[in-house]
Amino acid sequence: MPRRPRFARGPRAAALGTVLATLLVPVLAACGGAGAAAGGAATLKWTSTYFPTHWDPVVGGSGAQFRELALVYASLTKVDEKGEAVPDLAKSWKYNAEGDEITFRLRSGLKFSDGEPVNAAAVKAAVERAKKQKNSALFGDLTSIKSVTAKGLDAVFHLTQVDYQIPQLLGERVLQIASPKAAKSPERLDQNPVGAGPFVITQLVPGTKAVLTKNPDYWDAENIHIQNVELTSAPDSSTVVSGLRTGVYNFADIDPSQAESAKKAGLDVFVQPGFNASNISLNVNKAPFDDDRVVDAVRYAVNRQEFVDKLTFGYGEATDQPFPKGYAAYDPESENAYPYDPAKARKLLAAAGHQAGDIKLDLVIPAEDPGAEIVQSQLAKVGITVDIRIDKNWATPFFAKDLTFSLYSTTGRDSAVQTLTAHFGPDGPLNLSSPYEPAGFEAAVAKVRQTPLDDPQYTKTLQAATRAGLKSDALVFTYSQPNLIAKSKSVSDLPKNPAHLNWTGVTIAGAS
């Protein structure tokens, strides 16, 4: 991967494959102008640092790559600019009186790009595959779902508990729905994705390039004004802005360090709100973090503002939670619970019997990362020696909970509860200390699930769950920042749906 985010937002292997997938149609040749292709069709030329390593949404939909997969796949729901669930493949939904069953009514007449019908049976198959497939990245998000009954266009979800989060949960990220016929061979689906989203892939070079065309059978096709998409894996970050300026691309996700040069080049810098938050991950099942005094020492040794100043170029802010400030789940009562205090950190280490230099840690990360150097420097000031070790296969030991000390960032989930359980729950994929969880967390999360989203007490209850999760010794949060997009002025602004790229209504000037 030519460029990575400063903290890996979920595992993203550097898979620049050389095997060319079979061409289904001739390559769409880009011609002059920002977004005009042969024949004057509107073409989005997107270069992405998150080019999918997997196109099977059960495998690849858990990290930031879900935005690219959403070109091909649609979901039961999606989120609006308020972050609330709105219809997508499902036109409506209704809970039973007890709150332990929810029925999604699908739109009629829809079909996948292979001609298979979009019906409740397809939804049932998608859920079962996400729960059972061995390499699924989603099974931990679906623990509230016991089973699904298919009744024509009605998909009835039988829940293991009262859970009013389900419409939020089953949005674009957690359950992108593939054709059940194509998904019978997940390996083939990974190279030949078949969904019911706004676009259809016509050419795929694994790890490098995908060419897509508008799906005329998408339920909202009349509001999709982009005809073609050329998605490529981003080159070295130093060349992205020049590629945008010269028309090689007209859309790119960028690092904050590139924002000023993009503006000077006459490009639009689109600030997309997100649920992003970065953290230092600790394994309390391994020494020295099995001593909570050492954990607290690390907390007090962290100067969050330094991360903001050096990494975000004015676009980020310090946070000690898995949510940015202003988001409903952010808990004001927990703010600044561990202020920067290196002197206190040294005292805690001494109380735990450690002199300066006693503790030596390997900080294992997937690629070069200036954030790791900040951690190394800050802990050195309190007497902890950190060696930075790069492991390109980092994801395997991280998710197997074999590491002691690492870095991670989250792009969040549409359901705040799922973000919390991913970080603090006993089976949470981002909890390096599994099966450890903080006392009281499970009960606090259950109370949120039992609270309808329109209940006046919902926000207060949600924040209490965040407070319970933050008692965890397994994570030290550092900073958050929005997603940044640089685009040609010919590409109209996107809706500011948090964390999602919504192509509804987007136009590209100069195309017929």
Side-chain angles (χ1 to χ4, degrees):
M1 177 175 60
R3 184 180 77 85
R4 289 178 184 265
R6 286 190 161 84
F7 287 90
R9 293 182 182 132
R12 179 183 182 267
L16 296 180
T18 56
V19 180
L20 181 63
T22 303
L23 290 184
L24 303 180
V25 298
V27 178
L28 296 170
C31 61
T43 299
L44 179 74
K45 295 183 284 186
W46 177 6
T47 189
S48 174
T49 56
Y50 300 112
F51 190 93
T53 52
H54 295 282
W55 286 88
D56 177 354
V58 163
V59 182
S62 65
Q65 301 169 29
F66 75 87
R67 299 185 184 96
E68 284 83 352
L69 268 63
L71 294 167
V72 177
Y73 300 104
S75 307
L76 288 175
T77 66
K78 56 184 178 180
V79 297
D80 62 13
E81 293 189 30
K82 295 180 181 179
E84 297 176 353
V86 294
D88 195 12
L89 292 179
K91 67 177 183 179
S92 64
W93 50 87
K94 184 178 181 179
Y95 275 94
N96 65 355
E98 292 77 18
D100 61 359
E101 183 179 288
I102 179 172
T103 300
F104 289 89
R105 168 63 61 90
L106 299 176
R107 300 176 190 275
S108 62
L110 301 184
K111 58 184 178 180
F112 294 100
S113 58
D114 62 357
E116 291 294 300
V118 176
N119 53 24
V123 174
K124 175 180 171 68
V127 172
E128 291 177 348
R129 194 167 70 88
K131 287 171 70 71
K132 296 178 182 178
Q133 189 167 302
K134 287 185 178 180
N135 61 347
S136 172
L138 304 178
F139 68 91
D141 290 320
L142 302 175
T143 55
S144 282
I145 299 172
K146 179 167 56 179
S147 62
V148 179
T149 300
K151 300 178 180 179
L153 294 177
D154 286 346
V156 184
F157 284 65
H158 309 284
L159 308 180
T160 60
Q161 59 190 317
V162 176
D163 192 347
Y164 288 103
Q165 295 280 314
I166 299 300
Q168 289 289 114
L169 171 66
L170 299 182
E172 189 174 282
R173 175 170 179 152
V174 169
L175 193 66
Q176 296 174 323
I177 299 174
S179 162
K181 179 180 179 181
K184 285 182 179 178
S185 173
E187 295 80 10
R188 290 188 61 189
L189 181 71
D190 211 25
Q191 301 300 319
N192 298 282
V194 181
F199 300 95
V200 178
I201 283 189
T202 57
Q203 176 197 356
L204 178 61
V205 183
T208 303
K209 181 179 181 180
V211 178
L212 306 93
T213 189
K214 178 179 173 178
N215 179 7
D217 295 319
Y218 177 56
W219 73 266
D220 198 22
E222 64 178 341
N223 290 313
I224 299 298
H225 307 305
I226 296 171
Q227 187 63 40
N228 304 306
V229 179
E230 296 174 4
L231 177 68
T232 56
S233 180
D236 185 84
S237 60
S238 63
T239 68
V240 170
V241 171
S242 62
L244 286 161
R245 188 183 67 249
T246 58
V248 176
Y249 322 114
N250 55 19
F251 192 87
D253 46 276
I254 60 169
D255 190 89
S257 63
Q258 299 170 283
E260 191 59 32
S261 61
K263 289 179 180 178
K264 289 180 179 178
L267 300 165
D268 283 339
V269 174
F270 178 73
V271 179
Q272 182 205 34
F275 306 133
N276 306 325
S278 298
N279 70 65
I280 302 167
S281 294
L282 315 177
N283 193 332
V284 303
N285 301 311
K286 298 177 182 288
F289 300 123
D290 54 351
D291 187 329
D292 57 9
R293 292 170 295 185
V294 176
V295 172
D296 285 347
V298 171
R299 285 168 163 159
Y300 285 113
V302 170
N303 180 359
R304 294 172 176 82
Q305 193 59 43
E306 184 177 359
F307 289 87
V308 174
D309 294 342
K310 293 184 176 180
L311 302 182
T312 73
F313 292 80
Y315 287 95
E317 60 184 7
T319 187
D320 47 12
Q321 306 184 28
F323 308 106
K325 293 179 182 178
Y327 183 49
Y330 185 90
D331 178 41
E333 290 187 27
S334 300
E335 188 171 324
N336 207 28
Y338 295 91
Y340 178 51
D341 192 339
K344 190 168 185 176
R346 286 189 288 268
K347 289 180 181 179
L348 284 163
L349 291 172
H354 299 289
Q355 297 181 6
D358 280 357
I359 297 178
K360 296 180 173 61
L361 297 169
D362 284 338
L363 179 60
V364 184
I365 55 176
E368 289 185 12
D369 185 341
E373 296 172 7
I374 294 175
V375 173
Q376 182 184 52
S377 173
Q378 291 184 357
L379 293 190
K381 293 176 182 178
V382 301
I384 297 175
T385 300
V386 174
D387 290 325
I388 299 171
R389 183 162 64 84
I390 295 174
D391 181 357
K392 292 182 179 179
N393 296 316
W394 157 92
T396 299
F398 184 94
F399 290 108
K401 321 300 183 183
D402 290 334
L403 300 181
T404 300
F405 191 43
S406 190
L407 302 179
Y408 203 92
S409 274
T410 178
T411 55
R413 265 70 166 171
D414 297 320
S415 162
V417 166
Q418 292 305 122
T419 297
L420 289 172
T421 56
H423 285 87
F424 306 125
D427 300 315
L430 311 187
N431 178 6
L432 189 57
S433 297
S434 294
Y436 159 81
E437 69 172 329
F441 176 69
E442 186 174 351
V445 166
K447 190 172 182 179
V448 181
R449 294 187 192 277
Q450 294 163 10
T451 306
L453 275 62
D454 58 357
D455 188 294
Q457 294 299 309
Y458 175 74
T459 298
K460 182 179 179 180
T461 305
L462 178 59
Q463 291 174 356
T466 299
R467 198 175 314 131
L470 291 173
K471 294 177 182 177
S472 171
D473 287 344
L475 298 111
V476 179
F477 292 91
T478 51
Y479 75 100
S480 66
Q481 67 182 35
N483 304 306
L484 297 181
I485 303 292
K487 63 182 183 64
S488 163
K489 291 185 181 297
S490 64
V491 180
S492 67
D493 284 344
L494 278 68
K496 288 196 173 185
N497 297 23
H500 294 265
L501 295 177
N502 182 356
W503 302 105
T504 304
V506 178
T507 60
I508 300 178
S512 59

